[in-house]
């Protein structure tokens, strides 16, 4: 079995710019990524979060760092480009992970209003899993 570095993408939206709302959305997103991809946290190379400029109550990486076994994962927060008409209150994540899985078997969750960012990927997931994440 050949191991490669793969990228796991995902995104979610937040109801309001509060620590509680951001924590809820980031936790839901990371839970979906960990569970559906059966991640071994020791295989994570790095994680980059982006947040739209309207989210500044807490760093998404600070939320991730509080998760069990995430304290040694390299984490980075950056601000998403502000493009006119783009999705508001959105957090995106890119996780680089060592895995034997082919890229086509990686699950990329786009939750809540972020499900519209990658409708092509949403089609590959069952409608019941998509609706449960909104």
């Amino acid at each position: 079995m050949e191991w490669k570095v793969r990228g796991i993408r995902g995104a979610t939206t937040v109801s309001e710019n509060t620590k509680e709302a951001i924590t809820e959305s980031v936790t839901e997103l990371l839970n979906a990524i960990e569970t559906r991809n059966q991640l071994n946290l020791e295989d994570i190379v790095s994680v980059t979060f982006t947040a739209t400029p309207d989210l500044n109550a807490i760093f998404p990486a600070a939320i991730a760092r509080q998760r069990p076994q995430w304290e040694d994962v390299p984490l980075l927060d950056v601000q998403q480009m502000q493009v006119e008409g783009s999705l508001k209150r959105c957090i995106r994540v890119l996780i680089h992970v060592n895995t034997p899985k082919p890229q086509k078997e990686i699950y990329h969750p786009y939750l809540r209003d972020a499900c519209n960012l990658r409708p092509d990927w949403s089609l590959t997931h069952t409608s019941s899993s998509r609706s449960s994440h909104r």
Side-chain angles (χ1 to χ4, degrees), residues 15-124:
S15 60
E16 58 186 345
N17 184 30
T18 65
K19 289 180 182 181
E20 296 77 18
I22 295 170
T23 297
E24 178 184 313
S25 290
V26 169
T27 299
E28 178 185 37
L29 180 60
L30 294 178
N31 285 346
I33 290 171
E34 277 188 55
T35 302
R36 291 290 298 271
N37 289 298
Q38 301 172 330
L39 281 189
N40 178 344
L41 298 178
E42 290 186 11
D43 295 332
I44 295 177
V45 176
S46 64
V47 180
T48 302
F49 291 95
T50 69
T52 50
D54 50 6
L55 295 175
N56 61 8
I58 189 172
F59 293 108
I63 298 162
R65 196 167 286 112
Q66 299 304 311
R67 295 172 68 82
Q69 302 175 17
W70 278 73
E71 60 274 352
D72 294 326
V73 174
L75 304 168
L76 177 66
D77 288 302
V78 296
Q79 189 175 79
Q80 182 71 30
M81 279 179 45
Q82 188 170 358
V83 175
E84 189 174 328
S86 63
L87 189 58
K88 303 292 183 207
R89 295 187 311 272
C90 184
I91 296 171
R92 294 170 172 88
V93 66
L94 173 59
I95 299 176
H96 293 103
V97 61
N98 290 304
T99 182
K101 289 182 182 181
Q103 189 68 48
K104 66 182 179 184
E105 290 182 18
I106 302 293
Y107 173 67
H108 307 275
Y110 283 77
L111 310 180
R112 303 179 184 208
D113 290 339
C115 67
N116 297 317
L117 292 174
R118 288 300 305 257
D120 54 326
W121 281 354
S122 296
L123 293 175
T124 63

